[in-house]
Amino acid sequence: MSVPAIKTEELRKVFGDQAAVKGLTLQVEQGEVFGFLGPNGAGKTTSMKMLLGLVVPTSGTASLLGAPIGDLATRARVGFLPEHFRFQDWLTAREFLLLHGQLLGMDSHDLKTRLEDLLERVGLTPFRNKLLRTFSKGMLQRVGLAQALLNRPALVFLDEPTSGLDPVGRRLVRDIIRELKEQGACVFLNSHLLSEIEVTCDRVAFISHGEVIRAIEMASLEKNLSRVTIRAAGLTSESISGLARWGQDIQANNGRLVMTIHQEQDLPEITRYLVAQNAEVYGITPNRLSLEDIFIETVGEDGGL
Amino acid sequence: MKSIWAIRPSWIVARMTFQEAIRRRIVLTGLILGVLFLIVFSMGFHFISTEVAREEARDGGGAASKIMLAEMSNFLIQAGLYAVTFLSVAMGALLSADTLAGEINSGSIQTILTKPIRRSNVVFGKWLGFAALLGLYALLMAGGTVLSVFLQAGYLPRNLLAGLSLIYLEALLIMTISLAGSSAMPALATGGMVFGLYGLAFLGGWIEQIGSVFNNPTAVQIGIITSLLIPTESLWRRAAYEIQSPLASAMGISPFAAFSVPSILMVLYAVAYLVVVFVIAVSTFQRRDI
């Protein structure tokens, strides 16, 4: 078993008398695409900054790739795209990547071919000698992404990587995340865009007030298409309580019945049962529980404020 | 291995800082204004020196006239260098006041600080870049002033190297204080602090000068205390003392020169002061949440 990509224990940050992160304990494995979700002000960015050594934790411990946070040699294996990306705008795209590659301590020959490849990958080759000052938000996001990948990182932090990107750009980010996963890298993704997380992540953690309140394997969402809506007339309260053998959380309302079933394979039998109970069934629809539902269910409608 | 690791990142940051100043036209602006300054100074010197020469020729010329012209040249060089010192100090303060503060504010420093380099490398690299820029600026301005007088009147002040080094040290000191401020505060607060300190030193310096003329020990002590608080003005007075003509120092006639000359100890104090401020800049920046 390899060392975890990220491991934190009771990581805490207090600004003044305000605890931005209360006690973050989580573990992310190498090769995993991990989504970090939570309402605004939940402490996502502060947590990420602590892991990256930008913010000094008040207490608690954390390690990246087995080394304590702040370790210089480890930083050479980590990539980072910040949220409010503002870069050295007096540099051209190529010079910007050159500078960051040099700061990473990359070999100059390797760096020169690597940065051309990356410029090509993010679609900026025609703009390679243009000053960043003239770039649009989406172009800056792309060059920032290239910067995060220069050192072929084993661990990449992306803070809201698709904000400011058009659909083509978003597809690009998704593809790059998939490529990173194929190469065995770990991606730590901070995002509001749940649909993005849904298609890219292996596992997500919900954070509120700087604590992980729920962690979910995305694969489990696929398997448990457990919530179903039954539209039927003539349901008696006995027939409804009879459904309890196939599931739970039964809510009936005016010919609409929602319940959580144990397994999808039971659906035909449930239908037969309802027909035998003289109910007139108009439809049975599995409700795929979306990440958005879980999000709202987990943090509450008020967004955890 | 470890030392190579430490020098290379500082050097990269220094080069970046230098490049930024060029790309942002800070160097060009400084250069244009510098040349303008030198043109005005040269013209002023030309008219004054020809006037002095004509007066002296009417009075009979000879050795007295040569001494007068040399004294006049020395006086004007001091006046020119006084202005150059102020401009270099302003340049030093402006260059570094916004550097860390501005980059923390915009977030552009985040991708730098997450690289395998120490924060101390970033501060030292910036310092090196600004020190190089200031060196070039001070050399152009002070060198141009001295050269202009030399070409027109054939006069070179004594102890020129010591004088120019002290002026450079003063600009470096202000730049370092400004950099330290920038590691903790917004640019405007830093600017206010730096010019406030500079003004305090200026005032303290004059109180000491006047106090020493009137033999008032309390006034002299106030001056010394302000010099310990912020030694910029003492550096200028030492620089003026180094370059002023022997005649002027004997008679104490120059308004720029020193009646109460700061000792070499004060210069060493200023160097130590600079080092301490630099260490404060590094340690403040290291503890700072970005």
Side-chain angles (χ1 to χ4, degrees):
Chain A
M1 186 72 199
S2 59
V3 292
I6 301 169
K7 188 172 165 61
T8 74
E9 248 166 78
E10 285 301 312
L11 208 55
R12 186 178 168 83
K13 180 65 191 184
V14 181
F15 292 112
D17 56 357
Q18 189 94 21
V21 177
K22 270 185 192 154
L24 184 73
T25 301
L26 64 85
Q27 182 163 335
V28 182
E29 303 304 331
Q30 293 196 40
E32 195 174 23
V33 179
F34 187 84
F36 204 44
L37 302 178
N40 293 326
K44 297 193 300 283
T45 296
T46 305
S47 301
M48 204 183 242
K49 283 183 170 179
M50 281 196 277
L51 294 176
L52 287 158
L54 290 172
V55 168
V56 185
T58 309
S59 63
T61 58
S63 64
L64 299 185
L65 303 166
I69 47 174
D71 180 67
L72 289 189
T74 308
R75 284 193 190 169
R77 301 169 59 205
V78 173
F80 171 46
L81 173 67
E83 182 185 9
H84 300 293
F85 47 90
R86 287 273 214 82
F87 304 129
Q88 293 68 27
D89 64 2
W90 67 91
L91 295 173
T92 67
R94 192 177 172 279
E95 288 168 339
F96 170 77
L97 293 179
L98 207 55
L99 169 69
H100 282 76
Q102 285 166 349
L103 287 170
L104 281 162
M106 289 175 74
D107 166 71
S108 87
H109 183 72
D110 175 38
L111 173 58
K112 275 174 189 146
T113 45
R114 177 75 179 153
L115 75 86
E116 297 298 344
D117 290 349
L118 281 169
L119 282 169
E120 185 66 36
R121 184 69 192 88
V122 298
L124 288 177
T125 301
F127 308 99
R128 55 202 285 284
N129 290 322
K130 291 264 186 300
L131 289 176
L132 296 187
R133 194 180 293 147
T134 65
F135 274 30
S136 70
K137 206 174 169 219
M139 288 160 82
L140 283 174
Q141 188 75 295
R142 284 163 186 250
V143 81
L145 197 60
Q147 172 275 134
L149 304 177
L150 272 170
N151 51 339
R152 300 177 184 88
L155 169 60
V156 189
F157 289 89
L158 304 175
D159 200 351
E160 302 288 350
T162 51
S163 72
L165 286 183
D166 55 19
V168 182
R170 286 186 192 178
R171 156 85 51 92
L172 175 78
V173 172
R174 273 209 302 274
D175 290 348
I176 286 176
I177 291 173
R178 192 172 342 104
E179 286 164 24
L180 283 165
K181 185 178 164 52
E182 281 163 17
Q183 291 153 18
C186 171
V187 181
F188 189 92
L189 187 63
N190 223 347
S191 181
H192 288 107
L193 292 169
L194 299 173
S195 54
E196 297 285 336
I197 298 263
E198 225 161 354
V199 290
T200 49
C201 290
D202 300 321
R203 200 155 61 93
V204 299
F206 289 92
I207 168 173
S208 180
H209 301 111
E211 281 176 294
V212 172
I213 46 178
R214 190 164 174 183
I216 302 168
E217 299 277 343
M218 292 305 288
S220 71
L221 288 185
E222 303 284 340
K223 264 180 255 156
N224 299 337
L225 303 170
S226 57
R227 210 71 184 147
V228 295
T229 301
I230 300 168
R231 288 196 301 128
L235 281 171
T236 63
S237 54
E238 281 138 46
S239 57
I240 291 172
S241 51
L243 285 168
R245 79 190 84 150
W246 292 289
Q248 63 221 16
D249 291 342
I250 304 169
Q251 292 157 14
N253 181 17
N254 229 355
R256 250 176 98 85
L257 188 145
V258 182
M259 66 180 287
T260 304
I261 53 166
H262 298 316
Q263 49 183 358
E264 206 175 3
Q265 292 90 318
D266 292 340
L267 279 178
E269 203 178 324
I270 292 171
T271 318
R272 277 195 292 276
Y273 165 79
L274 289 171
V275 172
Q277 294 285 316
N278 290 323
E280 298 183 21
V281 180
Y282 292 95
I284 298 182
T285 330
N287 300 354
R288 186 162 178 258
L289 200 55
S290 75
L291 209 49
E292 191 170 304
D293 298 327
I294 303 173
F295 185 88
I296 289 169
E297 184 188 308
T298 310
V299 303
E301 293 279 355
D302 61 355
L305 297 175
Chain B
M1 172 65 195
K2 203 163 183 179
S3 62
I4 295 170
W5 200 217
I7 289 168
R8 203 177 111 93
S10 300
W11 176 244
I12 296 167
V13 175
R15 223 177 36 200
M16 175 186 95
T17 306
F18 203 88
Q19 193 176 22
E20 178 180 7
I22 291 172
R23 290 277 171 90
R24 289 196 155 168
R25 312 223 166 89
I26 293 168
V27 170
L28 187 69
T29 312
L31 220 65
I32 290 172
L33 289 174
V35 168
L36 210 66
F37 170 85
L38 290 175
I39 290 171
V40 172
F41 177 81
S42 301
M43 279 167 56
F45 183 82
H46 172 76
F47 289 122
I48 293 172
S49 61
T50 35
E51 192 56 37
V52 169
R54 197 181 306 144
E55 286 283 320
E56 293 303 317
R58 202 180 308 144
D59 294 349
S65 146
K66 282 212 177 66
I67 291 168
M68 189 60 198
L69 188 60
E71 287 306 310
M72 183 53 70
S73 301
N74 188 269
F75 174 77
L76 286 174
I77 283 179
Q78 282 196 55
L81 290 184
Y82 189 69
V84 166
T85 303
F86 179 75
L87 289 173
S88 304
V89 160
M91 192 72 159
L94 295 175
L95 274 176
S96 58
D98 192 41
T99 182
L100 295 170
E103 287 168 45
I104 291 169
N105 206 20
S106 78
S108 67
I109 202 145
Q110 292 184 14
T111 52
I112 306 268
L113 294 184
T114 47
K115 295 292 183 287
I117 63 172
R118 283 169 223 280
R119 289 198 187 181
S120 54
N121 290 147
V122 175
V123 180
F124 185 53
K126 295 233 169 224
W127 190 90
L128 273 183
F130 291 139
L133 281 166
L134 269 185
L136 288 179
Y137 183 75
L139 196 67
L140 168 84
M141 300 288 277
T145 303
V146 173
L147 190 69
S148 166
V149 171
F150 179 71
L151 290 179
Q152 294 187 59
Y155 175 82
L156 267 186
R158 60 173 186 165
N159 300 338
L160 186 59
L161 201 63
L164 295 191
S165 304
L166 287 165
I167 290 171
Y168 181 46
L169 180 62
E170 182 176 348
L172 281 182
L173 183 59
I174 286 288
M175 180 271 280
T176 312
I177 295 171
S178 192
L179 190 64
S182 181
S183 71
M185 306 187 286
L188 222 56
T190 298
M193 176 193 75
V194 169
F195 282 106
L197 281 174
Y198 183 77
L200 186 72
F202 180 82
L203 194 67
W206 280 99
I207 291 174
E208 185 182 339
Q209 297 267 52
I210 295 165
S212 96
V213 171
F214 291 104
N215 284 322
N216 182 330
T218 317
V220 172
Q221 247 150 32
I222 290 173
I224 290 171
I225 290 166
T226 44
S227 295
L228 291 175
L229 225 52
I230 168 82
T232 46
E233 189 68 16
S234 342
L235 289 175
W236 159 252
R237 278 192 286 135
R238 182 75 202 192
Y241 166 77
E242 294 291 344
I243 54 177
Q244 79 184 344
S245 75
L247 187 63
S249 44
M251 296 170 65
I253 46 169
S254 169
F256 300 105
F259 299 104
S260 161
V261 179
S263 64
I264 285 295
L265 215 60
M266 189 51 108
V267 176
L268 293 177
Y269 176 77
V271 173
Y273 190 102
L274 187 151
V275 172
V276 169
V277 172
F278 179 79
V279 170
I280 291 172
V282 170
S283 72
T284 313
F285 190 56
Q286 267 166 343
R287 278 182 281 113
R288 173 102 190 235
D289 288 330
I290 305 299

